[in-house]
Amino acid sequence: MALTDVKAAVTRLNTLLAGLDDATARAASGLPGWSRGHVITHIANFSEAMTRQVEEALQGRVVEMYDGGRPARDAGIEAGAHRPAVELTTHLERATTALVTAWDKVGPDDWTRPIQHRNSNLSAGLNATWRELAIHTVDLDLGITPTSWPPAFCLHLLDFLRPRTPKAIHLVLHPDDAPTWETGTGETHVLTGPLTDLTAWYAGRTPLAPITGPTPALLPWP
């Protein structure tokens, strides 16, 4: 994964939302219970929070991702979700631009600097940024689907989500268009289909093409 992937995801997202109107912003997203305004606000707030993670890490400091933790994060999304479309998109563009600027400051020797987000480091934080942008762009349900996810992203997301596989399940994903991927031990479940659709299913999103095989109930996101 490279910073170029994150920059491309930012451009794709802001281009998608150019000219967003209020009715479209108020409409349901692909996430249950969330409008598109909720998704946009979440991405913007995440971008601001991750910007602070990066800037503080570069100063040798580790700070909380969201002041007030998860309750404050959730309250912030709800408070901002119902704003006019122009406010939503302006906030998003400002926040994602600042985040890219922060990532550009990270030097070759900085990637192992610790951050509070998932008790990880800047390298993992960049991957988290990639995931948030790519997945939630799809969640907006504005025409960009998991088919836009490149193989490198799919394989990264599958590996990140390995903890979703229940105990005593040996999950084998046999894509039509990529090498076999597997995780876990126990009763074998073999699923076949396009790599993007198998990844979408594992990420809790709706596949566009049929998946063949018994799909086990998955554990929550790690």
Side-chain angles (χ1 to χ4, degrees):
M1 207 287 295
L3 181 53
T4 54
D5 295 308
V6 168
K7 291 180 176 180
V10 166
T11 298
R12 183 184 304 114
L13 174 61
N14 285 309
T15 300
L16 176 68
L17 292 172
L20 183 75
D21 59 44
D22 289 344
T24 306
R26 297 285 83 76
S29 73
L31 292 177
W34 272 20
S35 69
R36 294 191 179 104
H38 285 88
V39 177
I40 295 168
T41 299
H42 168 54
I43 302 171
N45 291 353
F46 170 88
S47 297
E48 290 175 339
M50 186 58 76
T51 296
R52 187 173 72 159
Q53 294 286 287
V54 176
E55 291 177 341
E56 293 294 326
L58 292 176
Q59 297 300 316
R61 297 186 290 265
V62 177
V63 298
E64 193 171 18
M65 181 72 176
Y66 296 96
D67 287 331
R70 182 62 181 254
R73 166 198 175 274
D74 295 345
I77 295 170
E78 189 59 37
H82 310 286
R83 292 171 293 170
V86 67
E87 291 186 22
L88 290 166
T89 55
T90 298
H91 181 201
L92 178 67
E93 184 171 6
R94 182 178 67 247
T96 53
T97 298
L99 180 54
V100 168
T101 298
W103 283 123
D104 274 332
K105 297 176 185 177
V106 180
D109 298 328
D110 293 324
W111 292 106
T112 58
R113 288 179 179 268
I115 60 175
Q116 191 271 347
H117 183 261
R118 294 184 176 274
N119 295 314
S120 60
N121 57 28
L122 286 175
S123 179
L126 186 63
N127 282 330
T129 300
W130 193 25
R131 293 192 300 270
E132 290 287 323
L133 293 170
I135 294 170
H136 288 316
T137 296
V138 169
D139 290 334
L140 287 167
D141 194 20
L142 288 172
I144 294 182
T145 70
T147 59
S148 67
W149 295 345
F153 178 77
C154 290
L155 294 174
H156 161 71
L157 185 55
L158 288 172
D159 284 339
F160 172 74
L161 293 174
R162 283 181 187 272
R164 297 205 74 196
T165 301
K167 292 181 179 180
I169 292 290
H170 175 213
L171 181 63
V172 179
L173 303 184
H174 186 62
D176 304 328
D177 49 355
T180 296
W181 180 92
E182 56 189 299
T183 189
T185 58
E187 180 184 354
T188 298
H189 290 242
V190 180
L191 306 181
T192 60
L195 176 62
T196 52
D197 290 287
L198 292 168
T199 305
W201 166 77
Y202 201 51
R205 271 61 183 178
T206 303
L208 297 182
I211 290 176
T212 302
T215 54
L218 299 174
L219 299 175
W221 267 58

